[in-house]
Amino acid sequence: MSDAFIPLHALKGRGAASRLAHRFERDVRDAYDDGWGTLDETAADALLPLQTEVRFEDVKSVLSENDSPDIPFDRSLNPYRGCEHGCIYCFARPTHSYLNLSPGLDFETKLIAKRNVAEVLRAELGRKGYRPSQIAIGTATDCYQPIERELRLTRAVIEVLQETRHPFGLVTKSSAVEHDLDLIAPMAAQHLAAVYVTVTTLDGALARKLEPRAASPQRRLRTIRTLAEAGVPVGVSVAPQIPFITDDMEKVLEAAWEAGARCAFYTVVRLPWEVAPLFKQWLELHYPDRAARVMARIREMRGGKDYDADFATRMKGSGLWADLIRQRFEKATNRIGFNRQRIPLDLGAFRPPGAAGQGSLF
């Protein structure tokens, strides 16, 4: 009997279309028609709305250090694993494989919250010999994804950083960052905080496909304006750039400048490990007419492969197409005025935390 596989469907509010098997799984199962209507039943179940599950974990450490030459910070912190925003291009999707979960739909629907993140951060900042350096928050998964409204783990982290006068920068696609302006704005006034808002495109229809549960592009621009008016140094990330998909970089930069952003950066799309097959599924579902062209240009920027992890090229790519994107970005930012003045964060104000629950006489 020949196999008849279930066709993929775009799921409302989700970026991935399947629970793609992760790279450590031994067995991969596909449905087939057994003559008893199994395919129809399974296909109907696949279209049902997926509920988000939140699991909790107690972690032993929260600060991740790196010495990558292409990353402008040496330590980062992420309060959550997985991200409900569901961005199909997210390079962090393969990390769910280490949890024996799918980088596809599980990454968007089975979230892990580090419930003791603030306590562990306090302990790490209080270690003898600790030296402050800017902490980048939310660099893998969004620190203001929807569950933050209830769990407030990111807020707890910022409270520890405020207490210790420790500098940080965070990146988000969410308007929920505005809820913590009472903490962020005073720290920004002391040169201790900066915020970067990702605006991939101004096309709302495209954004709903690319980043289905993130704030709309116009709402993100409003967030940039709110942050800037509160005195917070705010930048815009126009990442990732995807050939033949995101084609309005210049318009995004102009709108972000008008809203108050004064620095900008970009990367080109990255497809490590399981992200490549997930992204190809997404292309076939939403843009079948140009899927082959998109992948051809991505491979052109990656030396003929879907992805190349080389430090020298993984963020910006290489070759003619990557050079064209770089030229567009540089010409637009120079013309508009981005990146002419950067306000360095203050590392000298740091003071180690006291023991938990212990007050100070000074």
Side-chain angles (χ1 to χ4, degrees), residues 166-169 183-185 187-195 231-233 345-346:
H166 195 296
F168 74 92
L183 300 175
I184 297 172
M187 293 187 71
Q190 301 172 56
H191 296 174
L192 295 174
V195 175
V232 178
L345 298 183
D346 185 3

Side-chain angles (χ1 to χ4, degrees), residues 14-315:
R14 301 297 178 182
S18 70
R19 285 190 172 86
L20 184 79
H22 62 74
R23 61 190 181 278
F24 302 119
E25 287 192 64
R26 288 186 175 182
D27 302 316
V28 179
R29 295 178 175 85
D30 284 306
Y32 67 93
D33 189 356
D34 61 2
W36 293 91
T38 307
L39 276 181
D40 294 335
E41 294 175 5
T42 308
D45 290 342
L47 293 177
L48 294 175
L50 292 171
Q51 300 300 314
T52 301
E53 303 174 23
V54 181
R55 306 175 184 181
F56 295 93
E57 70 171 347
D58 292 315
V59 293
K60 296 181 179 179
S61 64
V62 295
L63 289 178
S64 299
E65 297 188 359
N66 78 84
D67 56 2
S68 301
D70 57 344
I71 297 179
F73 52 84
D74 63 4
R75 65 196 68 175
S76 60
L77 182 155
N78 292 281
Y80 304 102
R81 303 178 194 266
C83 184
E84 195 173 0
H85 284 166
C87 306
I88 190 59
Y89 52 74
C90 182
F91 67 87
R93 283 181 176 272
T95 61
H96 250 44
S97 300
Y98 299 116
L99 306 175
N100 199 30
L101 295 171
S102 167
L105 288 172
D106 286 350
F107 181 80
E108 307 172 32
T109 60
K110 292 179 171 56
L111 312 179
I112 309 340
K114 304 175 185 179
R115 59 185 168 191
N116 64 336
V117 61
E119 292 81 1
V120 176
L121 175 62
R122 175 186 292 275
E124 292 185 350
L125 298 185
R127 287 177 181 168
K128 185 177 180 180
Y130 176 82
R131 294 292 181 268
S133 181
Q134 177 182 337
I135 295 175
I137 303 175
T139 54
T141 58
D142 204 305
C143 56
Y144 282 106
Q145 57 182 288
I147 57 174
E148 169 63 16
R149 288 180 170 86
E150 177 183 351
L151 301 182
R152 297 161 69 90
L153 296 181
T154 299
R155 182 176 179 86
V157 164
I158 296 176
E159 287 174 339
V160 173
L161 298 176
Q162 182 188 53
E163 173 194 339
T164 57
R165 299 177 186 173
H166 195 296
F168 74 92
L170 66 85
V171 60
T172 184
K173 296 183 178 79
S174 175
S175 60
V177 65
E178 298 172 16
H179 299 168
D180 290 342
L181 264 178
D182 60 317
L183 300 175
I184 297 172
M187 293 187 71
Q190 301 172 56
H191 296 174
L192 295 174
V195 175
Y196 302 86
V197 178
T198 300
V199 186
T200 316
T201 178
L202 297 182
D203 184 338
L206 171 58
R208 283 191 295 273
K209 298 172 185 176
L210 269 178
E211 309 151 337
R213 296 205 175 191
S216 71
Q218 294 304 317
R219 185 64 183 90
R220 294 182 224 178
L221 292 174
R222 231 169 76 201
T223 295
I224 291 176
R225 187 177 301 278
T226 299
L227 292 166
E229 290 176 349
V232 178
V234 57
V236 62
S237 164
V238 288
Q241 291 298 305
I242 308 172
F244 305 124
I245 300 294
T246 57
D247 57 3
D248 59 349
M249 177 204 295
E250 291 83 358
K251 292 181 180 178
V252 173
L253 290 168
E254 290 169 1
W257 176 272
E258 178 64 26
R262 290 297 179 264
C263 64
F265 68 92
Y266 81 98
T267 62
V268 298
V269 64
R270 299 166 57 190
L271 303 178
W273 297 106
E274 295 92 339
V275 184
L278 285 166
F279 185 74
K280 292 173 188 176
Q281 286 180 357
W282 182 87
L283 283 174
E284 291 295 341
L285 279 171
H286 297 285
Y287 298 99
D289 58 324
R290 68 185 86 165
R293 280 197 302 153
V294 173
M295 289 308 303
R297 295 293 78 75
I298 289 175
R299 293 184 185 112
E300 180 182 314
M301 293 191 292
R302 300 297 184 188
K305 298 181 288 185
D306 288 345
Y307 182 62
D308 185 353
D310 180 69
F311 283 146
T313 61
R314 63 175 179 169
M315 294 299 183

Side-chain angles (χ1 to χ4, degrees), residues 314-334:
R314 63 175 179 169
M315 294 299 183
K316 303 295 174 62
S318 61
L320 178 61
W321 199 268
D323 195 49
L324 287 173
I325 293 175
R326 177 188 60 78
Q327 289 183 41
R328 287 177 57 197
F329 178 81
E330 290 180 352
K331 289 180 178 179
T333 52
N334 289 338

